Amino acid sequence: MGVGAVRLSKSFVVCVAALALLPLWPLRAQAVPLGPGPAREQVLARFQAYAQQGMRDWNIPGMAVAVVHDGELIYAKGFGVRKKGGQDPVTPNTVFQIGSMSKAFTATLVAMLADSGDLSWKDRVIDQLPEFRMFDPWVTREFQVADLMAQHSGMPAHAGMAEIFFDVDRADIIRNLRRVRPASSFRSEFAYQNNLFLVAAAIIEAKTGKGFEDNLSKRIFGPLGMSSASADLWGYTAAKDRAALHRVLKGQVKALPEDWTYNYWPYLYCPAGGINASAMDMAAWLKLNLNQGQAAGRRLVSKENMAYLHSPKTIIRDSDLGQGVYYCQAWVYQEYEPLDFVWHNGETSGAHNICAFMPKAGLGLVVLTNLKDNKLPEALARRLFDLWLGNPDRDWSADFVAESAKERAAEALLPRPRRPAKARPLEDYVGVYRNPGCGDIVVEKKGRDLTGYVVNKVRDRVGLDLGHWDGDVFLARSETMDDLESLATFSFGPDGKARSLDLEIFKAIGTGPFLRQDPKRPGD
């Protein structure tokens, strides 16, 4: 759903990387920002030309951009169309899914509770939410509110995200945390998560007696005048000026169907990635963050807690973002010359965006696009900051295009063996495979191959093609399941009967195997 646009696979989009609790860090450098006048207009003109070229480079159907300086909206423009092949233009008021930029809204609601004394950042989560459990009892006892949004839980990155394809609700996702085996020590490594933001939202609901979405509306959207913002699927589909969702399939940019089976999933994870908003809405959000918690003549968050949200908590290691990158509380702090900046990106199944600001320059921007898996928003943020500060020219978009090509090559499946081992009789693989945290995958014989489906009672069966790869390994594919592609390995016991099914993409995020169920006897 966000930061750095580093991808786990074709099916899951991820964010940044980082480490343990650190003190608040001041911004390092000082500089004189550009003021009103011809110089600023020249910067914005160059920036706009670069944005238009970048859209062509990435084949993006539509984009909206807003720039704020010293509390003033100095630029707002739409580019392209809402839907590929359509005529409706994108405007600054066009509503987009903003993905993981939603996380900072959740963190801000927690900051408001800290301001009111309803909780402390150091409060133990289990004291606020008694049903909270991690895999390790010690971690459960020591897990603090601040740990929920600092991305150093010890779980594998994107833990449990396979759950979105099955019949689960937010309570199920929170309950399943106890099933996820740690990949590192608590607070020792960055690993990006979405599920822990649902825990933060549950605490918000417990403290306020109101739903998470209602808190967003009453405490943030309303006071900031974010009139087109919403936090549910209906709010998105009902918006008349709305950007369609697009992704690249077989080399072509295509719009997702309006009735796509998994349109609901960002809203299941709403506290981590389910807000819908326009560039104009997000400009108001930028002003709040640039003005240290004050906007529209009102103080919504104290300066102290706003600084806490923006300051490093976890080091991001081995990142394509470079050195000096840290995760904060739902924000990323990036060292930069001559001034550092704060940002977070966001991605859903058909959109990619960024919100970034440079506090010492009083400058920020939001870039919203209606295409998954592009890095133009990240390039535009750096391009604007470079132009504003007089840094040497660098074609960030071209650099990210090349980087994305390398990422796709690196994550491609290994070539199939030249002489693959034969599969067993297909009947041996047939059965129901169950994961206690997700649900069932049913495997059936289809002609000379296998087929499967995910049991999703709410949204009917979701197909899964299983083509033979090598021995007991098959290649699982499903465009419906967010363009999933993963090796699937069947394991057998000494009796020659199938025992489990492991999908590599699910295994990597700590889901664990799907265990074969014994056929039910008549009457069971």
Side-chain angles (χ1 to χ4, degrees), residues 26-34 333 336-340 358-362 389 391:
L27 291 162
R28 298 174 299 120
Q30 299 287 335
V32 179
L34 290 173
Y333 184 102
Y336 204 68
E337 292 297 337
L339 295 176
D340 302 340
M358 194 168 266
K360 286 293 183 181
L389 298 170
N391 286 347

Side-chain angles (χ1 to χ4, degrees), residues 45 50 67 82 101 109 125 144 151 156 165 171 175 196 204 223 273 277 282 301 307 353 400 419 427 440 491 508 516:
Y50 190 78
V67 180
R82 292 186 233 160
M101 296 194 302
L109 289 174
V125 173
Q144 297 178 0
Q151 305 291 21
F165 300 120
R175 193 177 304 113
L196 291 172
I204 292 166
M282 294 302 293
V301 185
N353 322 292
F400 287 156
R419 295 181 180 179
E427 291 79 3
D440 292 353
S491 297
R516 190 175 187 275

Side-chain angles (χ1 to χ4, degrees), residues 26-218:
L27 291 162
R28 298 174 299 120
Q30 299 287 335
V32 179
L34 290 173
R40 189 176 78 177
E41 297 309 312
Q42 291 169 10
V43 163
L44 293 175
R46 292 181 65 189
F47 172 77
Q48 179 169 304
Y50 190 78
Q52 291 169 318
Q53 178 59 50
M55 284 187 68
R56 293 189 287 270
D57 293 342
W58 292 93
N59 202 14
I60 296 170
M63 178 173 72
V65 180
V67 180
V68 171
H69 180 232
D70 285 349
E72 175 192 357
L73 179 68
I74 63 170
Y75 182 90
K77 187 171 177 60
F79 302 84
V81 292
R82 292 186 233 160
K83 185 174 182 179
K84 185 176 175 63
Q87 300 297 318
D88 294 327
V90 170
T91 74
N93 293 305
T94 299
V95 172
F96 290 74
Q97 290 183 341
I98 71 168
S100 284
M101 296 194 302
S102 307
K103 289 178 169 66
F105 288 79
T106 301
T108 299
L109 289 174
V110 173
M112 291 176 177
L113 294 178
D115 278 339
S116 63
D118 289 305
L119 55 72
S120 162
W121 295 106
K122 292 184 178 181
D123 283 349
R124 298 193 316 167
V125 173
I126 196 170
D127 293 336
Q128 304 296 327
L129 199 68
E131 61 267 33
F132 173 76
R133 295 289 186 280
M134 298 294 284
F135 185 86
D136 186 317
W138 181 88
V139 174
T140 299
R141 291 194 303 271
E142 297 301 318
F143 217 99
Q144 297 178 0
V145 170
D147 296 317
L148 292 171
M149 297 169 288
Q151 305 291 21
H152 52 223
S153 66
M155 293 188 292
H158 309 281
M161 279 297 288
E163 296 163 332
I164 65 173
F165 300 120
F166 298 85
D167 293 324
V168 296
D169 58 21
R170 292 180 191 172
D172 293 326
I173 294 169
I174 294 173
R175 193 177 304 113
N176 286 337
L177 288 169
R178 68 195 66 186
R179 303 181 187 277
V180 181
R181 291 180 177 273
S184 68
S185 299
F186 180 41
R187 296 183 184 144
S188 69
E189 297 290 341
F190 169 85
Y192 194 80
Q193 309 297 343
N194 291 300
N195 46 23
L196 291 172
F197 283 82
L198 275 61
V199 179
I203 292 173
I204 292 166
E205 292 179 339
K207 289 294 183 182
T208 63
K210 297 179 180 178
F212 175 75
E213 289 79 2
D214 191 38
N215 271 283
L216 280 176
S217 179
K218 299 289 176 57

Side-chain angles (χ1 to χ4, degrees), residues 191 307 332 402:
V332 179

Side-chain angles (χ1 to χ4, degrees), residues 218-239:
K218 299 289 176 57
R219 291 177 171 235
I220 298 180
F221 296 165
L224 294 184
M226 297 175 65
S227 58
S228 59
S230 61
D232 54 23
L233 180 58
W234 184 88
Y236 174 68
T237 57

Side-chain angles (χ1 to χ4, degrees), residues 252-272:
Q252 299 292 319
V253 174
K254 295 184 179 181
L256 284 173
E258 295 286 328
D259 61 350
W260 182 51
T261 303
Y262 289 105
N263 272 334
Y264 72 93
W265 84 259
Y267 308 103
L268 173 63
Y269 274 92
C270 181

